[in-house]
Amino acid sequence: MNNHWGGTLEINGGDSTNEDEKSRNNMDWDRASISHQGYNHGHLDETQQTGKLPKNNGIPWRGDSGLQDGSDQTDLKGGLVGGYYDAGDNTKFHFPMSFAMTMLSWSVIEYEHKYRAIGEYDHVRDLIKWGTDYLLLTFNSSATKIDKIYSQVGGSQNGSRAPDDHFCWQRPEDMDYPRRVQTANSAPELAAEMAAAMASASIVFRDNPAYSKKLRRGAETVFDFARDRARRTAYCRGNPYIEPFYNSTGYFDEHMWGAAWLFYATGNNTYFSLATNPKIAANTRAFYMIPDLSVLSWDNKLPAAMLLLTRIRLFLSPGYPYEDMLRSYHNVTGLTMCSYLKRYNVFNWTRGGMIELNHGRSQNLQYVANAAFLASVFADYLNATGVPGWNCGPNFFPISVLKDFATSQMNYILGSNPLNMSYVVGHGPKFPRHVHHRGASIPKDRTKYSCAGGWRWRDAKTPNPNTIAGAMVGGPDHFDKFKDVRTNYSYTEPTVAGNAGLVAALVSLTSSGGVGIDKNTIFSAVPPLYPTSPPPPPPWKP
């Protein structure tokens, strides 16, 4: 099989993403960038918090909301109160919410020292726990076997004119329309992503043994549900409240991802064997080198899963019987990084310097931030093992190339682009003022605006009265053009999943706390891996 940088792919073996529809080379990556663009002045996760808000929420224009969510479900004592709204509307989509928690947990595990150095370690843990506490409500977390998961709260149908989360433009505090709860009796991808979120968070909360154990057990329960062969229909299949918005294009990538995180969380080799099973790799098309599959998103976990498993090879060298698959994952991870380099023309780039990871379609920045994080983490893995770089075909590149790619893309997001526009609200002198977000666009006055009464704020030409600081919006088009228009969500809507990738990338690149990763914490539950001997060859027969 040929590749984009010449020659053949020397690897063994052998779902694309889908979305709802002046240079700053010396940019300060520490507290100024991370906390100013979000944490101390209103991190997007905090603006999206739902339920009875914690005292440290700190967003003056937010209040308690969604307190009746799930109250009509007879098997739920406290309903489904809590969690995060997804984007500019008031829907709780559990699939991207889970992915956001996994990404935040991963960044904390690798870069705890950096979070501590900027004084945000306890804060980010609070944000993760707000999400995982909610995920534990969405299934019977005290059971060892379950037959359903609550997959969404709120939402709408395309074209509907009934009061709902899309038709109405209201603060979440003012919602007075019915909020449907969606139930999935089959959820191979949602359940596996929930398992990844809880397993990774169990490592973050290793200093709280009771909570960590609860997360671990919950992760194992939902992963068993995900792996149930009788329940392999996509969680969103035929559901008009989910499929048009967060449609899943496959689940084997989540199974590899969830299994990898469960291995780290539990040390159970069964999960490691599953994550390195050639059938899983074949079903994910891991070795086909399809460009779309090297793009990390809420829908496609494959490149992250392979990088996470490559970490085991780099640091533990488990040998047989895992080495062949891990070497293949390592090779593909290297080629994924090659595909992010402009010289190989795997992806188009805008003239202003942004890599186009979604074929020039809208809302590209979430993919850019995720790619920057993967490149930065891979560089840190190589550096921690004394490896100076990696190969793209016959060419060897130092790890600085990976950091340069990640830095260039984050600089673009933060304002080093043709419009000198920061796409992170509140960062720099020029940023979007008409963010597609209900709560941010409606003034904090004593007026309760009705479903249609809020349209005046949606359609107003004036800037949002509330600054949703820290929110990365959808971003520019493939001509580096951007329309700061509230009704044009493809440019101006932020998402929780996209912002989790932004935070992860930023913390990986900050110099605060020193360079590099925490090499060992992720392995705290993993027993020593001693290579076993390969089976002897069959006896020779004349």
Side-chain angles (χ1 to χ4, degrees):
M1 184 183 297
N2 289 326
N3 65 40
H4 292 272
W5 30 89
T8 57
L9 294 176
E10 296 179 359
I11 53 180
N12 300 326
D15 312 57
S16 85
T17 57
N18 177 30
E19 181 54 277
D20 164 21
E21 333 348 348
K22 303 166 187 170
S23 175
R24 299 182 182 179
N25 292 330
N26 296 317
M27 184 166 294
D28 176 12
W29 288 105
D30 10 349
R31 192 182 180 93
S33 64
I34 296 180
S35 66
H36 174 259
Q37 66 87 12
Y39 281 112
N40 283 349
H41 304 289
H43 183 271
L44 179 69
D45 283 352
E46 284 188 330
T47 68
Q48 302 302 92
Q49 279 181 317
T50 162
K52 183 78 174 172
L53 296 188
K55 292 180 180 179
N56 65 350
N57 175 268
I59 311 296
W61 45 273
R62 282 300 322 277
D64 299 342
S65 67
L67 299 180
Q68 298 303 311
D69 283 356
S71 59
D72 56 340
Q73 304 298 313
T74 56
D75 61 331
L76 290 172
K77 289 183 180 178
L80 289 167
V81 178
Y84 293 102
Y85 299 120
D86 173 63
D89 53 31
N90 301 332
T91 310
K92 295 192 292 199
F93 290 101
H94 299 172
F95 192 34
M97 188 197 303
S98 300
F99 175 65
M101 296 306 104
T102 312
M103 288 293 286
L104 286 179
S105 292
W106 190 7
S107 73
V108 172
I109 293 165
E110 303 286 11
Y111 300 110
E112 177 180 330
H113 53 296
K114 295 190 177 190
Y115 278 109
R116 287 187 181 279
I118 60 173
E120 295 294 344
Y121 177 65
D122 291 337
H123 190 186
V124 71
R125 279 167 50 110
D126 287 345
L127 295 174
I128 293 167
K129 190 172 185 296
W130 190 265
T132 52
D133 280 353
Y134 176 75
L135 292 179
L136 287 166
L137 300 178
T138 64
F139 67 103
N140 185 354
S141 59
S142 62
T144 55
K145 187 173 179 61
I146 58 173
D147 59 8
K148 68 177 179 181
I149 286 175
Y150 292 112
S151 55
Q152 181 175 310
V153 179
S156 66
Q157 294 190 60
N158 272 336
S160 168
R161 300 191 65 79
D164 61 28
D165 285 310
H166 280 185
F167 185 71
C168 297
W169 194 270
Q170 289 178 286
R171 306 182 190 95
E173 293 80 5
D174 295 339
M175 295 182 296
D176 52 8
Y177 45 80
R179 285 173 53 81
R180 292 175 61 111
V181 173
Q182 304 297 324
T183 304
N185 299 110
S186 168
E189 62 293 273
L190 169 61
E193 184 57 62
M194 288 170 59
M198 289 184 284
S200 57
S202 76
I203 302 171
V204 172
F205 294 103
R206 64 197 179 281
D207 57 346
N208 182 345
Y211 188 61
S212 182
K213 183 178 180 180
K214 186 175 184 180
L215 289 172
R216 230 174 13 253
R217 286 186 168 175
E220 292 181 298
T221 296
V222 291
F223 195 70
D224 285 346
F225 180 70
R227 290 289 296 163
D228 188 334
R229 290 189 174 276
R231 301 178 186 275
R232 295 287 181 90
T233 303
Y235 87 107
C236 54
R237 178 76 55 81
N239 188 321
Y241 291 91
I242 305 178
E243 201 167 33
F245 308 104
Y246 285 101
N247 176 53
S248 170
T249 56
Y251 57 82
F252 284 104
D253 56 316
E254 279 88 12
H255 287 193
M256 185 191 293
W257 173 241
W261 277 116
L262 275 162
F263 174 61
Y264 282 125
T266 68
N268 185 336
N269 270 8
T270 303
Y271 295 118
F272 192 20
S273 296
L274 175 61
T276 54
N277 188 316
K279 291 183 179 179
I280 286 275
N283 283 321
T284 60
R285 297 178 291 173
F287 307 139
Y288 283 51
M289 290 314 300
I290 299 169
D292 279 355
L293 296 185
S294 67
V295 180
L296 173 60
S297 74
W298 55 264
D299 181 40
N300 176 44
K301 320 300 160 48
L302 182 60
M306 289 193 287
L307 176 57
L308 202 58
L309 291 161
T310 294
R311 194 191 205 284
I312 297 174
R313 183 183 191 227
L314 289 170
F315 291 94
L316 300 185
S317 301
Y320 182 85
Y322 308 109
E323 170 60 16
D324 283 351
M325 289 302 296
L326 292 181
R327 182 174 63 244
S328 296
Y329 290 156
H330 190 169
N331 276 337
V332 174
T333 296
L335 295 175
T336 292
M337 301 303 159
C338 301
S339 76
Y340 296 159
L341 303 185
K342 191 172 184 179
R343 70 191 71 196
Y344 291 120
N345 298 312
V346 177
F347 296 101
N348 291 328
W349 288 62
T350 67
R351 288 187 176 182
M354 174 181 68
I355 188 171
E356 295 179 44
L357 295 169
N358 67 339
H359 304 283
R361 294 193 294 264
S362 62
Q363 300 174 317
N364 183 50
L365 292 187
Q366 59 183 311
Y367 310 111
V368 173
N370 287 342
F373 177 65
L374 293 186
S376 183
V377 170
F378 185 54
D380 285 338
Y381 288 175
L382 296 178
N383 187 51
T385 50
V387 178
W390 89 111
N391 289 302
C392 296
N395 301 313
F396 180 83
F397 294 101
I399 56 179
S400 60
V401 171
L402 291 168
K403 289 291 186 179
D404 288 347
F405 163 75
T407 301
S408 73
Q409 295 309 293
M410 300 313 292
N411 282 346
Y412 183 101
I413 291 171
L414 292 173
S416 183
N417 54 63
L419 298 179
N420 294 318
M421 166 78 79
S422 165
Y423 295 111
V424 175
V425 178
H427 180 82
K430 184 180 179 183
F431 53 82
R433 307 281 178 166
H434 304 79
V435 180
H436 181 95
H437 188 277
R438 285 159 175 76
S441 69
I442 300 174
K444 182 175 173 56
D445 53 25
R446 297 187 178 182
T447 305
K448 178 177 178 178
Y449 298 96
S450 67
C451 172
W455 294 352
R456 60 175 287 198
W457 302 111
R458 179 194 66 191
D459 301 334
K461 305 299 182 188
T462 52
N464 286 358
N466 306 310
T467 301
I468 183 168
M472 180 180 72
V473 297
D477 62 21
H478 60 290
F479 297 111
D480 299 301
K481 301 297 184 185
F482 179 78
K483 296 179 181 178
D484 189 7
V485 178
R486 192 176 298 109
T487 52
N488 198 330
Y489 65 86
S490 63
Y491 290 101
T492 59
E493 187 169 30
T495 66
V496 165
N499 277 259
L502 172 79
V503 170
L506 285 174
V507 79
S508 77
L509 290 166
T510 181
S511 57
S512 296
V515 298
I517 53 160
D518 178 338
K519 288 195 288 188
N520 299 318
T521 292
I522 200 170
F523 297 124
S524 54
V526 176
L529 292 170
Y530 301 113
T532 57
S533 299
W540 182 81
K541 294 181 179 179

